[in-house]
Amino acid sequence: MSELSPISLVIPTYNRGDLVRETIDSALAQTHPFSEIIVVDDGSTDHTEQVLKQYGRRITVIRTENGGVQSARNRGVSSSNTPLVALCDSDDVLEPSFCGTLVPWLSSHPNIDICYSNFVNFDESRIFPDKFSQAPDGFFEGGRETDNVFLVELHDLYRRLLVFQPLFPTGMVITKRLFETIGGYDPRFRGVGSEDWEFTLRAVESGNVALCKTPLSRIRRHSGNDSASSTHMNLGEAEVLEFALKNHISAKKYQNEILDSIDRRRVMAFDSVFAKGDFLRSKEILARIRKFPKNMKFFLKWMLLYLPSGLQKNAWRISQRIHKENVHEMPLDFICLNNDGFDGLTRPRHIIARLLSRQPGYRVFYVSPAPRSAWQRIKKNCLRLGGVKKYSETLYWIMPLTFFRKFYNRKAQLLSSYFWVLSIRLYFFIYKVKNPVFFVTTPDFEFISLLRRFRQSPIIYNVHDRYLDSSNHWIPEHFSLLNISDAVLCTSTFLLEEHKSFVSEDKIHYFPPGVNFEIFANKVDADNELNQEPARRNITIGCVGSFGTQIDWELLNYISDKSDYKFLFVGIIVNSIKEDEQFNIFKSRRSVDFIGKMDHEEIPSVMSRFDLCILPYKRSEFSKGINPLKLLEYFAMGKPVVSAPIPSIAMDEELCGLVSIAETGDDWLKSLEAEFSENNHCKIRQRISYAKRYDYPERVSCLASIVKNLYRMKYQEF
């Protein structure tokens, strides 16, 4: 049996009989067990008591009269018998590695008083991106990393929390000494939205704080928790900040910022209440706003509140029709602009479009030219007829009328873009597209022509290639898109840093690629992957992708000369490389097999034959900007990977611990040998776990969050 960790877990619960079982089970499943698990039943009137009795002596149950979650937490902590105490709400779940990650580190850093861990939200259908990844740019700047996981010495954390709050009770570990010193949770905030925020502000003000970047808990979203109402949360946060201003020492240094923050939250609450037609409550909130926003919409709302009753209701109804007040119920038309087709393609943009079309409230229109016929290829693509292909009620492929698409003289571009825009606007009229959100993945002249006619609509530019390379003919269009876009999503850290000098920080985001985790992970044979090693003479090195000038064929020839590895390559061979001498030498070797292009669903079956996976890119302008999707596919199957020094991998400390970086031929030989011989259960699980975080449903949820925010900004409430 594992030795007990010097930490207690406190779980406050009230009428959560249907959910608390999952919370307790996650606490009992720790790789390093808690010393005690204390469940404080805050006067439940459902079947919670019967559920708790089933655990017998494995948990300690304290029953109290209903006094609120603050009192329940305080009672649990005061009853604990260990120097460290963790909290978990009764509708949330701890990861099995929670104790094993936090307790040893905290034991070796006795100066830390409190540690907050990262988490993910989840509901009945999906898991959302981790909380820390949603932080505004610069939120974690200045902190010092330790052990690649923990962040300490994050100065002015109190001030940072006024802008973004990623520190929740679930997943927090605090010394009992600090908890008692600052007085625990304040029962006066019972029923107030964001009640725990006041304690968090006091804790970071008084103790040494550490943050754990690894998500170690899952926080549930459902109709029964307080965070379900944005109005309740905004008003609660305003109340907490008012209290802090009067009672927290640190708050006085940021008085003006806090006052502005209080007003912002009350204005958001006012907008939500006004949208529901609750005029009495709107007036109550309005009376507590210190400084009114200087915009016409707010002024009109203020005037409407003081109209005579009958006229007031009619004016409000008209305002809702004109301005489509409730943006949550408006259909959101997602327009994906790209210059490739849609049928049967499985690039990230195609998968995202398909998955987003299944999200409630979305319609997706994929816009790209129709496939070329043989005649069109002979005639250099002079004309492609338009059309619409319908896959479902929420997914369409629009193929606009296109002329002269491959001719780069200005007149041809203007003529092509005219017909292109005209046909798309016609399709938008037919399908009643009124409030589109545009998602652009290629800086095409026609796309920019269209977007300039929809400047009032949100525009998202997904930068996945290095268009700033001086040899790239798309540079002018690239800069045009950067200027007109409301959000710029960069797929690699290198692209993100490179574009920060051209794009303001508030609209640039890191948006790494995703992986179709399920189809790859389902092909992992646990017995073969974890318990059996292939015969030494049969080691197969695999690579998936398209093979052209970006691959270092000279390096591959060197590895092949110096070893007895077999090579298995899956994907298309680009025409431009077929005459290359080094490529042809490599392709002609008996130990090398090129399978060619395969359906996406079939690739995992071939990859199961790989013993080692490689990313053998040349050093070039192209490789600087890439963030290879195939790396996540390799990881989803638990495969060891050796890579060239690609910035997106070399700049990521976590990835450097999972991927061997090799530069010279001899480095590659050593790294391949080391990755094969040192592969084990733990490393395979780490790779799979890393890939799972980038599963496409999570990437789509992250994109949907960005889309919704932009949507509200552009089509905001009246």
Side-chain angles (χ1 to χ4, degrees):
M1 182 177 177
S2 302
E3 183 180 348
L4 297 178
S5 302
I7 182 173
S8 301
L9 176 67
V10 173
I11 304 173
T13 186
Y14 175 70
N15 286 350
R16 290 271 171 77
D18 293 332
L19 298 174
V20 70
R21 186 191 304 277
E22 190 176 354
T23 304
I24 296 172
D25 288 345
S26 75
L28 292 171
Q30 294 295 304
T31 55
H32 291 63
F34 288 101
S35 286
E36 55 184 350
I37 299 171
I38 301 170
V39 182
V40 182
D41 183 358
D42 191 34
S44 296
T45 56
D46 66 350
H47 59 291
T48 297
E49 184 177 354
Q50 288 71 35
V51 172
L52 299 180
K53 282 181 179 178
Q54 297 172 13
Y55 289 93
R57 294 184 178 180
R58 289 184 291 171
I59 64 174
T60 300
V61 178
I62 299 174
R63 293 185 176 85
T64 66
E65 292 184 6
N66 184 245
V69 66
Q70 300 85 2
S71 297
R73 289 184 187 128
N74 293 345
R75 178 66 184 277
V77 173
S78 66
S79 302
S80 63
N81 298 299
T82 55
L84 296 174
V85 182
L87 295 179
C88 184
D89 287 346
S90 59
D91 51 349
D92 301 333
V93 178
L94 298 179
E95 298 294 350
S97 59
F98 179 84
C99 280
T101 301
L102 296 180
V103 175
W105 187 85
L106 287 169
S107 298
S108 63
H109 295 78
N111 61 312
I112 299 298
D113 300 304
I114 183 169
C115 182
Y116 285 95
S117 61
N118 195 3
F119 62 88
V120 295
N121 287 113
F122 75 106
D123 60 20
E124 293 180 356
S125 61
R126 61 197 185 280
I127 296 176
F128 298 87
D130 68 279
K131 188 68 174 181
F132 284 13
S133 69
Q134 301 169 42
D137 290 338
F139 183 85
F140 298 108
E141 277 185 10
R144 180 171 61 85
E145 282 194 3
T146 67
D147 302 318
N148 295 326
V149 173
F150 294 90
L151 197 64
V152 297
E153 299 175 10
L154 200 62
H155 302 296
D156 284 333
L157 185 55
Y158 192 103
R159 183 180 190 177
R160 299 173 198 236
L161 293 178
L162 300 177
V163 178
F164 178 69
Q165 159 55 339
L167 312 183
F168 283 38
T170 291
M172 177 191 77
V173 176
I174 187 170
T175 62
K176 188 174 180 180
R177 173 185 51 77
L178 176 63
F179 190 93
E180 292 174 342
T181 299
I182 64 177
Y185 287 86
D186 193 334
R188 285 176 290 183
F189 286 94
R190 180 182 183 183
V192 174
S194 298
E195 47 78 22
D196 53 87
W197 194 29
E198 190 277 330
F199 172 85
T200 302
L201 291 171
R202 258 188 298 133
V204 302
E205 178 183 52
S206 305
N208 289 327
V209 182
L211 305 181
C212 176
K213 298 188 296 180
T214 303
L216 295 177
S217 59
R218 285 174 279 150
I219 294 181
R220 192 187 305 266
R221 290 182 180 177
H222 60 95
S223 58
N225 55 15
D226 286 341
S227 57
S229 168
S230 60
T231 303
H232 182 65
M233 297 292 287
N234 282 320
L235 291 176
E237 288 171 0
E239 190 172 333
V240 166
L241 288 174
E242 280 189 334
F243 179 86
L245 203 53
K246 296 175 183 176
N247 297 279
H248 295 183
I249 296 172
S250 296
K252 294 178 174 52
K253 294 188 291 184
Y254 314 119
Q255 179 172 338
N256 291 334
E257 293 174 60
I258 290 175
L259 288 172
D260 290 342
S261 184
I262 291 170
D263 281 342
R264 279 198 306 273
R265 285 168 166 83
R266 285 193 172 133
V267 167
M268 287 189 287
F270 169 79
D271 287 339
S272 298
V273 172
F274 182 89
K276 297 173 184 175
D278 189 342
F279 304 130
L280 182 61
R281 197 173 181 208
S282 295
K283 286 183 179 180
E284 292 173 356
I285 297 172
L286 189 68
R288 301 192 67 185
I289 298 175
R290 180 180 59 94
K291 190 186 297 183
F292 288 177
K294 295 179 180 179
N295 65 63
M296 183 57 69
K297 288 185 178 180
F298 188 88
F299 176 71
L300 291 174
K301 290 178 186 179
W302 175 81
M303 285 186 61
L304 191 149
L305 286 178
Y306 293 96
L307 292 174
S309 178
L311 183 59
Q312 184 185 63
K313 289 182 180 178
N314 288 330
W316 178 81
R317 290 192 190 101
I318 293 171
S319 73
Q320 306 316 292
R321 282 201 302 270
I322 294 174
H323 297 280
K324 301 183 185 297
E325 169 62 21
N326 194 343
V327 297
H328 297 286
E329 295 178 2
M330 291 170 62
L332 198 158
D333 292 322
F334 186 84
I335 316 298
C336 185
L337 302 176
N338 199 268
N339 58 9
D340 56 13
F342 190 73
D343 270 345
L345 296 179
T346 54
R347 291 172 181 164
R349 50 188 169 269
H350 305 110
I351 296 173
I352 285 174
R354 292 186 184 100
L355 290 177
L356 200 59
S357 71
R358 299 171 195 164
Q359 295 268 329
Y362 279 85
R363 284 194 306 172
V364 175
F365 294 85
Y366 195 92
V367 179
S368 70
R372 291 182 296 169
S373 66
W375 181 85
Q376 288 168 335
R377 284 193 287 271
I378 294 170
K379 295 294 183 180
K380 296 185 179 179
N381 198 21
C382 291
L383 168 69
R384 295 194 209 182
L385 297 177
V388 175
K389 186 168 184 177
K390 180 179 177 180
Y391 298 90
S392 69
E393 293 298 327
T394 58
L395 181 61
Y396 302 81
W397 176 16
I398 292 180
M399 293 162 275
L401 183 65
T402 306
F403 288 87
F404 309 111
R405 191 171 178 79
K406 293 299 181 185
F407 299 161
Y408 281 99
N409 70 72
R410 189 69 174 173
K411 289 183 180 179
Q413 280 186 326
L414 289 171
L415 181 61
S416 176
S417 65
Y418 174 79
F419 285 103
W420 208 87
V421 171
L422 187 66
S423 60
I424 289 179
R425 297 192 76 160
L426 175 63
Y427 294 132
F428 280 8
F429 175 78
I430 293 170
Y431 289 96
K432 299 179 181 179
V433 176
K434 294 183 179 179
N435 296 301
V437 176
F438 290 94
F439 182 77
V440 195
T441 59
T442 309
D444 246 334
F445 181 82
E446 288 89 344
F447 298 162
I448 296 168
S449 299
L450 174 69
L451 295 173
R452 282 179 174 151
R453 289 162 174 79
F454 286 88
R455 286 303 302 272
Q456 81 282 4
S457 301
I459 299 170
I460 302 171
Y461 181 22
N462 183 211
V463 182
H464 55 85
D465 278 329
R466 192 159 184 267
Y467 298 116
L468 294 178
D469 177 7
S470 59
S471 63
N472 200 307
H473 67 266
W474 266 332
I475 287 181
E477 287 82 3
H478 178 64
F479 275 106
S480 295
L481 266 178
L482 291 177
N483 289 331
I484 66 175
S485 296
D486 299 289
V488 177
L489 311 184
C490 297
T491 57
S492 75
T493 50
F494 182 88
L495 291 174
L496 181 73
E497 294 302 320
E498 185 176 55
H499 283 79
K500 280 184 177 179
S501 56
F502 305 106
V503 182
S504 60
E505 287 195 5
D506 60 325
K507 75 174 190 178
I508 192 167
H509 306 269
Y510 177 49
F511 189 74
V515 61
N516 202 335
F517 181 80
E518 186 176 349
I519 72 166
F520 287 92
N522 284 345
K523 292 294 182 181
V524 176
D525 184 332
D527 291 332
N528 287 333
E529 295 291 338
L530 302 179
N531 299 324
Q532 298 177 17
E533 291 188 349
R536 182 67 182 83
R537 68 180 183 278
N538 292 327
I539 296 176
T540 299
I541 293 177
C543 188
V544 177
S546 61
F547 306 111
T549 56
Q550 79 276 21
I551 302 297
D552 194 338
W553 301 109
E554 187 176 353
L555 168 71
L556 293 174
N557 279 315
Y558 182 86
I559 296 171
S560 184
D561 285 337
K562 300 290 183 179
S563 69
D564 57 355
Y565 296 130
K566 291 185 177 180
F567 294 84
L568 186 57
F569 283 44
V570 181
I572 62 171
I573 299 172
V574 180
N575 287 332
S576 60
I577 199 65
K578 290 182 178 179
E579 303 301 321
D580 184 85
E581 181 183 358
Q582 290 291 334
F583 165 75
N584 285 302
I585 292 172
F586 181 73
K587 188 174 182 289
S588 64
R589 294 176 183 272
R590 296 183 63 184
S591 59
V592 175
D593 188 8
F594 280 84
I595 292 182
K597 185 178 179 180
M598 299 184 68
D599 288 340
H600 190 63
E601 290 75 13
E602 296 175 357
I603 291 175
S605 297
V606 178
M607 281 177 57
S608 63
R609 295 156 56 186
F610 297 174
D611 300 311
L612 295 164
C613 296
I614 56 173
L615 299 170
Y617 291 103
K618 282 181 182 177
R619 276 186 178 273
S620 65
E621 294 301 317
F622 168 82
S623 65
K624 281 183 181 179
I626 62 172
N627 191 358
L629 166 62
K630 57 182 68 70
L631 174 64
L632 294 173
E633 295 175 348
Y634 297 156
F635 276 5
M637 296 191 69
K639 300 295 184 182
V641 179
V642 180
S643 171
I646 302 166
S648 62
I649 298 175
M651 293 167 64
D652 189 319
E653 292 186 9
E654 185 179 6
L655 273 180
C656 286
L658 298 174
V659 179
S660 285
I661 306 293
E663 197 155 356
T664 67
D666 290 335
D667 289 341
W668 272 84
L669 291 169
K670 290 176 185 176
S671 296
L672 289 167
E673 179 63 32
E675 283 293 334
F676 178 79
S677 60
E678 296 172 11
N679 197 25
N680 56 47
H681 295 68
C682 181
K683 287 187 175 182
I684 291 173
R685 284 196 296 267
Q686 286 177 334
R687 297 181 197 118
I688 294 174
S689 177
Y690 183 92
K692 190 173 183 179
R693 283 156 43 191
Y694 296 93
D695 194 8
Y696 271 120
E698 294 188 29
R699 296 286 81 213
V700 169
S701 295
C702 183
L703 177 60
S705 176
I706 294 171
V707 169
K708 291 275 186 170
N709 288 336
L710 288 176
Y711 193 64
R712 292 180 185 124
M713 287 170 59
K714 288 280 186 170
Y715 306 122
Q716 57 184 304
E717 298 169 341
F718 170 71

